[in-house]
Amino acid sequence: MRRWAILLAFSWALAQVPIGVNLPEGTSLSLSTEEVVFDLTQSHFPPPNFPYAYLPSSPQGPLTLRLFTNLEGGFAVEVEATPLLAEGGAQIPAGQVEYRLNGGPWIPLGPKVVLLTGSGPTAGYQSYVLEFRLVLTGQEAPGVYRGSLLFTLSRL
């Protein structure tokens, strides 16, 4: 009988343990592609008039920019563009590459522009539609041009 009383007493026992979470600061910025290519040998070239804007041959369609931050306060996404350079030294200024975000107006990349600003933390990942085009003036020398875009997410 005493054994039953002890078992019954243990079946009603409660325990409490504290629990804690240490969530680190985090930000993430990603693009849906690693390269944007304007291959004008696959497009109508020369165009009927200048200036003329070409969409990329790759990727076929807009890019997706994804952003996450759990930091309090403001943030900015900037992009820094280098001029497009050909092997022979010819160049196309970075401003002849234009972008638009979420279907907005076309804006020259310039050497450095702020794509968007906001405040965090974000509600999960935020997605933005990012499009590029190349505007030719008719003064460009033939060649294969290469450049780069550097995207930065920073606190304000």
Side-chain angles (χ1 to χ4, degrees):
M1 183 73 151
R2 184 175 176 168
R3 228 194 285 162
W4 282 102
I6 292 173
L7 284 174
L8 189 58
F10 281 127
S11 69
W12 291 100
L14 296 174
Q16 185 174 357
V17 176
I19 185 169
V21 175
N22 185 7
L23 189 63
E25 291 183 340
T27 59
S28 175
L29 182 66
S30 65
L31 287 169
S32 59
T33 188
E34 293 184 9
E35 186 174 33
V36 176
V37 176
F38 297 94
D39 185 353
L40 304 188
T41 62
Q42 296 179 5
S43 300
H44 176 72
F45 189 85
N49 53 28
F50 290 97
Y52 194 83
Y54 286 94
L55 295 176
S57 50
S58 174
Q60 299 280 324
L63 286 73
T64 301
L65 178 106
R66 294 190 56 193
L67 164 72
F68 166 80
T69 181
N70 66 358
L71 303 177
E72 295 288 337
F75 63 84
V77 176
E78 296 176 310
V79 62
E80 188 172 351
T82 63
L84 303 174
L85 300 175
E87 285 185 20
Q91 70 175 341
I92 298 174
Q96 283 184 239
V97 176
E98 296 180 340
Y99 77 93
R100 72 177 175 180
L101 194 64
N102 292 337
W106 289 102
I107 301 169
L109 270 177
K112 190 172 190 178
V113 295
V114 175
L115 285 180
L116 62 101
T117 59
S119 61
T122 58
Y125 277 91
Q126 304 293 310
S127 293
Y128 302 89
V129 175
L130 181 60
E131 298 173 271
F132 292 102
R133 71 181 186 180
L134 175 64
V135 178
L136 296 184
T137 64
Q139 303 299 311
E140 297 81 13
V144 175
Y145 292 81
R146 301 213 181 274
S148 64
L149 302 174
L150 176 64
F151 291 82
T152 306
L153 171 61
S154 58
R155 285 182 172 184
L156 292 179

